[in-house]
Amino acid sequence: MPDPEKQAELFPIPSPPAGSQVINDRCLLRTENGRRVVIVSGIVLAHYAVGDRIAEAHARLSLVEQGWADQNDVARVFACSVRTVRRDQRRFDDGGMAALGQACGYPTGRSRVTLMRSVERLKSEGHSNCAIARQLGISETAVRKRLRRAAWKGPTLEQKTLLLVGTTIVPPTPSAPAAKKELEPNLSAFCAEDDAPMSFDQDPSDRRADRLMAYLGMLEDAAPLFGSESAVPRAGVLLGVAALIQTGVFECARDIYGTLGPAFYGLRTSLMTMLLMALLRIKRPEALKEHSPAALGRVLGLDRAPEVKTLRRKLARLAAMGCAADFGRALAERRIAQRGQALGFLYVDGHVRVYHGKHTIPKAFVPQRRLAVAATTDYWVNDQHGDPLFVVTAEANAAMVKMLPVVLEQIRTLIGKRRVTVVFDRGGFSPKLFVWLIAQGFDVLTYRKGRCLRVPRKRFRRRVGRLDGRRIAYVLADQEVRLLRGKLRLRQVTRLREHGHQTAILTSRRDLAALEVAYRMFERWRQENFFKYLAEEYALDALAEHDALPDDPAREVPNPARKALDEPIRAARAELLRLQAEYGLGAFVQLEGETGAVTFRSLKKVQASLARAVRSALQRLRDLQAKRAKLPARVPVRQAVREETMRLAPERQHLMNLIKMVAYQAESDLVAMIQPHYRRAAQEGRTLIQSALADTADLAVTDHELRVHLHPLSSAHRTHAIAALCDELNRSPVFFPGSRLRLHFSVATPAK
């Protein structure tokens, strides 16, 4: 074996010459006689005099830009920081070689002390870090650093008093009550029209006084302040404000959440922002980056709409209160009080939201993908028109059989003793569950699951009628069936399709015509369409919560050890069937081939080896089945999963679901208003409303009204339909939340 020392003598590794520094295995920096040379693979890339900063910066830049070395190696050899290399790249891109000669360090002519005082002064006046950065021409990071170095903690009580005395505060706007004291603004964010919060600003585009009052802790929510303007983008969304007020969302939020504390963007403003975002198809807070805060603020009555970080903080604060379930229950109570006639049939179904994060959470079966993936499941309850009533998030993706009692208990608390029919798909099929539902005062309407006897064709009859203004025709058979060995009697309505397929429907309703039973069951697709519409238009599947909570270790899950035996049992059963078939085939061949009599003894002798294999396979199958029978069907999750399982924190996601639900309800109410005036409302109603909400409008403000004059839509008949909607909204005047301005809508006459 060769000696490594001798090999080193035969092939010595050359050492770099004096004054040389190795950048990497291809690049070398050599300094000699006041000159520097950058060598790449033996070829000179750059040479310059020591002290020539521009040439040296260009040499560093060339190494990085051409891919010969990375930023870390270049910074190490040239004795600079990686930030310096990146700064050289930006300067060269902006101004070429001349920009590389810019002096390092703090800009000349600017006093550090003066800048620090300016930052502290503006911060004490209530300006945000972003506003200070824009005004002084520095970055927001620089503002934060200076405040941190100065250990800035905000003004004291005496300083606040001096600020209030030294600040020029304009009188309250005419919409505010004159009886208010000069420096005691109304802290109520949700108030009656005759007691609206006042604003200390007069210019709608400059709300510095109100921001200062909020910063000093004397304002819980900024009052809406509108100005008369022409061609305000997306001002048509104010049509939705009237429908949102009818849902009672603002009163429910006030009763459940109360307040977010002193803030310019309080509870009402934050809630209004999120609702109008949903109506404008701004599907998540991150999408606010693509829209002008000033333009959205004009629709909200503010100088600027809240931006991404602000809205995230508001959502986090609301989620921390843990009141989303109570908020949803209050909204459902208001909806039931308004639409009690639509609750004869309630549709219950689950919607799976796939999770792509890093946490290990329980899996759920996704029908579209036909496999189980990490996900969370929400169970929605919709009325007979397909509009949502409330939503419940299932813990650990519980199946519908387990979630139906939970959901229906909430329904019972909402509707009282009224008897309703619950419609659901095959996921909730369970005769034992049907017995419980009927005993609790609910009627059942669902598909029959599993195999059942086909109904003879002669028993089918064609049924025709009109339901909900539509002509319906089905070929149906009506009969009684028994489940649970005759303990449960239900009615079965079977539909026959043209190709011969039969769809069996089970119900406990015997007072309905067979045609209506089939119609109400097949109307379950309205809920599926609702899920699809919300996913496309409102980003229902978007993940609003990234935090995770530890899963309940005592929660029971299917035993993985028991499941692991399923495949060996299937293989053993298949092997047994194969051997039995081979044994029978051998006996058949022997019987058919013998000319004489075949005795049992001779047959057993010929098939002896195969019989032993059959007995062995049968014994193996029995052993496996006995082994599986000894294992418990379900075990705690801590025994089933080695790594710690998590569950997504449900509060923020539940709150976002409720906001999207309310926005959808408001949109549905607007569609219902235009239905008598638009022939194709059933097909194009939501598209028309969406166009009207995104329409440009002129705003005119009087002492008592906010007049919204929409621009004409794409066609005359669509404009006339929206004009009829405006007349309908004006008949029941509403006030913009937080103000005494009554909303009045109109549409410009389309040009001929």
Side-chain angles (χ1 to χ4, degrees):
M1 191 162 182
D3 188 359
E5 295 182 359
K6 293 182 178 181
Q7 284 188 343
E9 294 176 0
L10 293 174
F11 304 99
I13 300 176
S15 59
S20 300
Q21 293 176 281
V22 177
I23 301 175
N24 55 27
D25 56 354
R26 294 181 297 181
C27 306
L28 186 72
L29 175 65
R30 186 172 181 180
T31 305
E32 187 176 352
N33 298 328
R35 307 285 299 181
R36 279 185 176 176
V37 180
V38 179
I39 303 173
V40 177
S41 300
I43 301 175
V44 176
L45 177 67
H47 60 89
Y48 55 92
V50 176
D52 190 344
R53 284 194 309 104
I54 297 179
E56 183 171 290
H58 187 261
R60 293 194 301 257
L61 185 62
S62 300
L63 285 170
V64 175
E65 291 290 337
Q66 298 179 23
W68 299 117
D70 60 19
Q71 294 178 353
N72 295 316
D73 291 337
V74 171
R76 172 178 52 80
V77 173
F78 284 87
C80 64
S81 65
V82 177
R83 182 180 297 179
T84 301
V85 179
R86 290 198 296 265
R87 186 185 299 117
D88 291 339
Q89 289 178 299
R90 290 196 300 268
R91 289 175 177 176
F92 185 79
D93 292 339
D94 295 338
M97 289 287 290
L100 295 178
Q102 183 175 343
C104 298
Y106 194 79
T108 58
R110 298 183 64 177
S111 171
R112 290 179 179 268
V113 177
T114 304
L115 184 62
M116 179 67 76
R117 290 176 178 173
S118 300
V119 170
E120 293 181 0
R121 177 180 57 80
L122 293 173
K123 190 65 178 177
S124 63
E125 292 178 359
H127 293 277
S128 65
N129 292 350
C130 293
I132 296 173
R134 285 193 299 269
Q135 186 168 346
L136 298 180
I138 58 179
S139 66
E140 184 184 359
T141 304
V143 175
R144 287 199 300 268
K145 285 183 178 179
R146 282 163 172 78
L147 293 174
R148 185 167 58 250
R149 290 170 185 169
W152 192 85
K153 297 181 180 180
T156 62
L157 181 61
E158 292 78 6
Q159 291 173 332
K160 290 181 181 180
T161 306
L162 291 176
L163 281 172
L164 286 175
V165 174
T167 302
T168 303
I169 300 180
V170 299
T173 58
S175 60
K180 295 294 178 182
K181 296 181 181 179
E182 184 179 2
L183 295 179
E184 294 182 1
N186 183 6
L187 298 183
S188 176
F190 305 88
C191 49
E193 294 81 26
D194 58 349
D195 189 25
M198 70 177 184
S199 171
F200 288 98
D201 292 305
Q202 284 188 329
D203 185 0
S205 62
D206 186 2
R207 304 295 298 273
R208 284 182 293 180
D210 286 339
R211 290 183 182 274
L212 176 61
M213 298 298 290
Y215 172 74
L216 297 177
M218 303 183 66
L219 187 68
E220 287 189 355
D221 208 338
L225 187 59
F226 291 93
S228 299
E229 298 183 68
S230 300
V232 178
R234 300 189 174 192
V237 75
L238 293 174
L239 287 169
V241 174
L244 290 173
I245 293 175
Q246 298 300 323
T247 64
V249 60
F250 300 104
E251 290 81 0
C252 294
R254 175 194 59 197
D255 297 338
I256 299 299
Y257 290 103
T259 177
L260 292 180
F264 183 79
Y265 301 110
L267 177 60
R268 174 186 48 78
T269 301
S270 301
L271 194 61
M272 176 69 77
T273 302
M274 290 184 282
L275 289 168
L276 295 189
M277 281 174 54
L279 291 176
L280 290 173
R281 302 307 191 262
I282 304 175
K283 300 179 180 180
R284 61 190 76 190
E286 291 76 10
L288 283 173
K289 299 176 183 177
E290 304 172 5
H291 302 274
S292 168
L296 291 176
R298 282 182 282 177
V299 178
L300 295 167
L302 304 172
D303 55 344
R304 292 176 64 86
E307 300 186 40
V308 179
K309 291 183 179 179
T310 301
L311 205 57
R312 283 177 176 170
R313 286 196 299 269
K314 302 301 179 181
L315 277 173
R317 186 169 297 179
L318 289 173
M321 297 182 185
C323 300
D326 297 333
F327 185 38
R329 190 177 301 109
L331 290 173
E333 291 175 353
R334 290 291 296 261
R335 193 69 173 177
I336 289 173
Q338 296 173 358
R339 297 169 60 93
Q341 71 280 3
L343 301 181
F345 294 86
L346 293 180
Y347 294 83
V348 183
D349 198 6
H351 179 73
V352 180
R353 290 183 288 108
V354 179
Y355 173 70
H356 300 285
K358 60 182 180 180
H359 299 293
T360 302
I361 68 172
K363 293 184 178 181
F365 181 76
V366 182
Q368 294 80 1
R369 300 187 180 184
R370 296 187 177 181
L371 76 162
V373 297
T376 57
T377 305
D378 300 323
Y379 283 90
W380 291 78
V381 179
N382 296 51
D383 61 23
Q384 66 186 38
H385 298 303
D387 291 335
L389 190 61
F390 69 92
V391 57
V392 177
T393 301
E395 292 188 5
N397 298 314
M400 182 175 289
V401 174
K402 292 188 176 182
M403 287 301 299
L404 266 177
V406 178
V407 173
L408 295 182
E409 285 179 3
Q410 296 192 29
I411 291 177
R412 178 58 66 198
T413 59
L414 292 172
I415 66 175
K417 298 182 180 180
R418 178 178 177 180
R419 194 174 187 92
V420 298
T421 302
V422 183
V423 188
F424 48 91
D425 62 3
R426 293 178 179 87
F429 183 86
S430 172
K432 294 182 180 180
L433 177 62
F434 298 162
V435 174
W436 183 87
L437 291 177
I438 296 173
Q440 297 298 318
F442 294 98
D443 286 307
V444 177
L445 182 58
T446 184
Y447 293 114
R448 184 167 184 174
K449 185 178 180 180
R451 296 181 179 179
C452 59
L453 296 176
R454 289 180 60 85
V455 180
R457 186 177 289 269
K458 63 181 181 181
R459 301 189 61 177
F460 287 92
R461 298 288 184 273
R462 181 176 174 81
R463 314 292 176 95
V464 182
R466 294 189 68 85
L467 292 170
D468 294 341
R470 298 165 54 188
R471 183 180 181 276
I472 308 299
Y474 298 128
V475 179
L476 303 174
D478 196 351
Q479 64 184 16
E480 290 284 327
V481 295
R482 296 186 178 185
L483 302 176
L484 296 178
R485 298 180 180 180
K487 298 179 181 178
L488 176 62
R489 293 187 177 184
L490 293 176
R491 179 186 181 189
Q492 177 175 310
V493 176
T494 308
R495 180 188 181 186
L496 178 66
R497 304 298 295 269
E498 293 80 1
H499 47 75
H501 178 73
Q502 295 184 6
T503 303
I505 303 170
L506 293 179
T507 182
S508 58
R509 293 285 299 269
R510 291 175 173 82
D511 58 322
L512 298 179
L515 182 69
E516 186 171 1
V517 170
Y519 173 75
R520 296 300 178 188
M521 186 70 245
F522 298 140
E523 282 295 280
R524 194 190 67 83
W525 283 102
R526 284 189 177 184
Q527 197 172 29
E528 297 291 343
N529 295 334
F530 162 76
F531 291 144
K532 183 178 179 181
Y533 184 81
L534 251 68
E536 294 178 356
E537 299 293 335
Y538 290 87
L540 178 63
D541 296 330
L543 186 64
E545 180 64 81
H546 298 276
D547 295 335
L549 304 175
D551 197 3
D552 182 10
R555 179 177 62 87
E556 291 189 346
V557 297
N559 191 349
R562 185 183 176 93
K563 185 178 180 181
L565 291 174
D566 291 343
E567 184 61 30
I569 289 176
R570 282 194 295 267
R573 186 178 288 111
E575 179 66 13
L576 177 62
L577 293 175
R578 185 188 67 80
L579 291 173
Q580 288 175 342
E582 187 176 348
Y583 185 88
L585 180 61
F588 174 78
V589 171
Q590 188 175 0
L591 290 172
E592 291 292 326
E594 292 290 343
T595 56
V598 179
T599 63
F600 175 75
R601 180 175 295 179
S602 62
L603 182 62
K604 185 176 180 181
K605 183 178 180 181
V606 174
Q607 297 288 93
S609 62
L610 199 56
R612 286 193 297 270
V614 171
R615 286 192 293 270
S616 177
L618 181 60
Q619 185 61 38
R620 172 174 170 76
L621 177 61
R622 289 174 177 172
D623 292 343
L624 289 172
Q625 289 176 339
K627 184 178 179 180
R628 185 179 64 173
K630 294 179 181 179
L631 297 175
R634 302 180 71 85
V635 295
V637 68
R638 60 173 173 266
Q639 299 180 14
V641 184
R642 294 182 179 178
E643 59 182 348
E644 183 183 11
T645 58
M646 309 291 288
R647 63 184 180 92
L648 294 182
E651 196 69 21
R652 192 180 306 183
Q653 187 68 49
H654 194 180
L655 183 59
M656 290 303 299
N657 284 343
L658 293 176
I659 290 172
K660 294 171 184 178
M661 180 189 74
V662 172
Y664 181 88
Q665 290 174 346
E667 183 180 307
S668 299
D669 294 342
L670 294 177
V671 172
M673 291 182 186
I674 66 168
Q675 198 162 12
H677 312 285
Y678 194 65
R679 182 176 299 176
R680 294 185 55 83
Q683 296 80 18
E684 303 174 0
R686 294 192 181 275
T687 304
L688 175 58
I689 293 299
Q690 185 176 346
S691 301
L693 295 177
D695 193 15
T696 303
D698 301 332
L699 300 182
V701 182
T702 66
D703 291 342
H704 304 288
E705 281 189 343
L706 172 60
R707 297 176 180 175
V708 184
H709 190 59
L710 280 73
H711 291 191
L713 273 69
S714 59
S715 59
H717 71 285
R718 293 165 68 88
T719 303
H720 293 323
I722 298 302
L725 172 64
C726 294
D727 294 339
E728 184 72 21
L729 294 175
N730 292 335
R731 291 192 188 96
S732 301
V734 295
F735 294 81
F736 191 91
S739 73
R740 291 197 302 150
L741 294 177
R742 186 173 61 186
L743 292 171
H744 183 275
F745 301 99
S746 60
V747 183
T749 304
K752 296 183 179 179

